[in-house]
Amino acid sequence: MPQQIIIKIIYFTVLLTGLFSLVYQSIWQRYLTFIVGSDSGASTLILTLFLSALSVGYWVSGHKSQNIEGVNVKCLAICTRAKPLE
């Protein structure tokens, strides 16, 4: 597979995950507004949980990736070669 196609697939995947997480967040905001009683309280709760889960995920994957040889070099090579879509 050519590198340009792989980069476009990566960008498209990131776009889709961002879109789905935005939809998921707005659904949870509606549900939590009824439970918490205020829109700002629900927003704070969602943001806190999201950032906590994100940091735990990065911490776990960082520790797991240290045990695999060559992954960091491959990841760095892919990330540095990625260019913005033209």
Side-chain angles (χ1 to χ4, degrees):
M1 231 185 212
Q3 186 178 3
Q4 292 290 3
I5 293 174
I6 293 172
I7 291 172
K8 288 181 182 181
I9 289 172
I10 291 171
Y11 282 140
F12 185 70
T13 305
V14 170
L15 177 76
L16 280 182
T17 57
L19 179 68
F20 289 142
S21 65
L22 182 63
V23 170
Y24 194 61
Q25 182 264 339
S26 64
I27 291 170
W28 269 107
Q29 176 132 9
R30 300 244 183 208
Y31 285 137
L32 286 175
T33 300
F34 293 118
I35 295 171
V36 175
S38 69
D39 199 31
S40 63
S43 295
T44 303
L45 185 61
I46 289 170
L47 186 62
T48 302
L49 289 173
F50 175 74
L51 291 178
S52 298
L54 190 67
S55 62
V56 168
Y58 278 128
W59 180 73
V60 168
S61 61
H63 281 287
K64 286 188 176 240
S65 69
Q66 289 177 353
N67 297 334
I68 302 171
E69 283 189 35
V71 170
N72 293 336
V73 175
K74 288 179 187 176
C75 248
L76 182 61
I78 290 171
C79 291
T80 55
R81 294 289 300 174
K83 300 177 193 174
L85 293 177
E86 297 174 5

